[in-house]
Amino acid sequence: MHHRHARSTRGIGHALCDAMIMTAICSALGLAVNAWIHPHPLKLIADKPYETMVPCPVPGGKATALPCTDQRLYAKDSFIIDARDKASFDAWNVKGSMNVPFDYLDPTPPEMIEQVARKAASSHARRVVVYGDGQDPDTGEQLAKEISGKGIKNVFFVVGGAEAIRSKVDGGKP
Amino acid sequence: MNRFSKWRGHPWLALAVRVYLAGVFLFACVHKIANPSEFAMDIATYDILPLVLINPMAICLPWVELGAGILLLIGYRSKGAALAIAGMMFMFLVAIILALSKDIEMSCGCFASQAMESDPIGTWTVFRDSSWLLMAVYVIILDRHPMGIETWMNARRS
C-alpha cells in the first residue's frame, strides 16, 4: 500500500516536472517567434490599456412597431428605408426603398438624415418606415429611433425586418 | 472503484481522450499564434490580469497549448502534457466564472476572436471546459500505460 502510494506520488511529481519543463520551453519558443519571426509581433508589455469597452450610440427617439402584414408598409404615402448593409440591400430590397446602413458604432451622418428628410418631404410621404436585419437588436428599430431622435416625425419600424417582409411579399424567393 | 481502476480498457479509452484533447488544443492554438494581438484583446476583456501580464500571456499561452497538444497526440510525456492542460483548463474556468459573476458579456476567445453572438461565455462554456478538465484528470490518473512513442521507446530499450 505504501509502495503504491509512493509510486503514485512520484508519478504526479514527474508529471508536474514534465509540465513545468514543457511550459518553460514552449513559452521561450513563443517569445522567440514573437520577437524574430512573427509578421505581426506583439509588444512584450502593452504601453496603454486595451479599450475593451466600446461605447455604442444610444438612439433616443420614439419609433412605432409595425407588423409586416400592416398595409401602411405597402402604402404609397410611406417612405421606406432599408437599414441593412449595402450588400444585403443590393441582394434584395423593398421596391423604392432607400438604403441607409445602420452602424452600431457610428451614428448616422447628419447629412444622411437631412437627405432622408428631404426625400421624404419631396415624395409627400406621411410616414417613414424603416426595416433592418430583424435580429435582436434589430438594425431597423435602432435606425428608426435614431431618425426619430433627430426630429423626424411618424417613424415606424418593421417587426422581423427584411426577412419578414420578404417572406410575406414573395414567399422567401429571391 | 478498485475494479474500475483495474479495468483493462483504460489505455484505449485514454488514447481516445488524448487524441480528442490534442485535437481541441491544436485547433485552439492556431488562431491565437497567428493573431496574438486579437488574443491579447480577448484576455484584456476578461478584466482579470494586470496590463503587464496580458501580452506575455497572449504570446506564451498558445505555444504551451501547441506543445501540450503535440505531446498528447504522440504519447510522449503525456501525463505532464495532460497536467499542463488541466492547469490551463482550471485557469480558463476561473476566468470565465469571474467574468460571468461580473456580468461581462463577451466572446469566450477560446478558439478564435469570434463575435460575441457566435461564442458567448455562459453555462455551456463552463460545462464544456469542465468536461475537458475531467478528461485531462482522467489521463493523469488512469492512463498508467500510455500508448504512444514513450511506450514504444521503452519497449525497444527493454
Side-chain angles (χ1 to χ4, degrees), chain A residues 32-52:
Chain A
V33 169
N34 183 68
W36 294 304
I37 300 173
H38 206 290
H40 308 290
L42 190 63
K43 276 184 183 174
L44 191 56
I45 306 293
D47 44 16
K48 58 179 182 186
Y50 284 93
E51 289 179 8
T52 54

Side-chain angles (χ1 to χ4, degrees), chain B residues 91-103:
Chain B
M91 196 169 67
F92 297 157
L93 266 171
V94 170
I96 290 169
I97 290 168
L98 281 175
L100 285 173
S101 70
K102 290 182 197 168
D103 284 333

Side-chain angles (χ1 to χ4, degrees), chain A residues 90-173:
Chain A
D90 289 342
W92 183 90
N93 59 69
V94 172
K95 198 178 171 186
S97 59
M98 177 188 178
N99 186 210
V100 182
F102 179 78
D103 192 331
Y104 283 101
L105 299 180
D106 289 322
T108 309
E111 55 271 24
M112 187 69 96
I113 303 285
E114 277 171 30
Q115 201 182 342
V116 168
R118 233 181 4 252
K119 282 198 172 184
S122 65
S123 65
H124 304 291
R126 292 177 62 187
R127 68 190 71 84
V128 175
V129 180
V130 187
Y131 69 89
D133 54 15
Q135 303 290 312
D136 185 18
D138 176 21
T139 50
E141 184 181 352
Q142 301 298 312
L143 182 64
K145 285 178 178 173
E146 191 177 0
I147 289 173
S148 169
K150 298 276 168 55
I152 297 179
K153 305 289 179 197
N154 262 351
V155 183
F156 296 78
F157 68 91
V158 181
V159 178
E163 285 306 311
I165 304 171
R166 198 174 169 186
S167 61
K168 171 77 183 156
V169 171
D170 54 20
K173 290 174 193 161

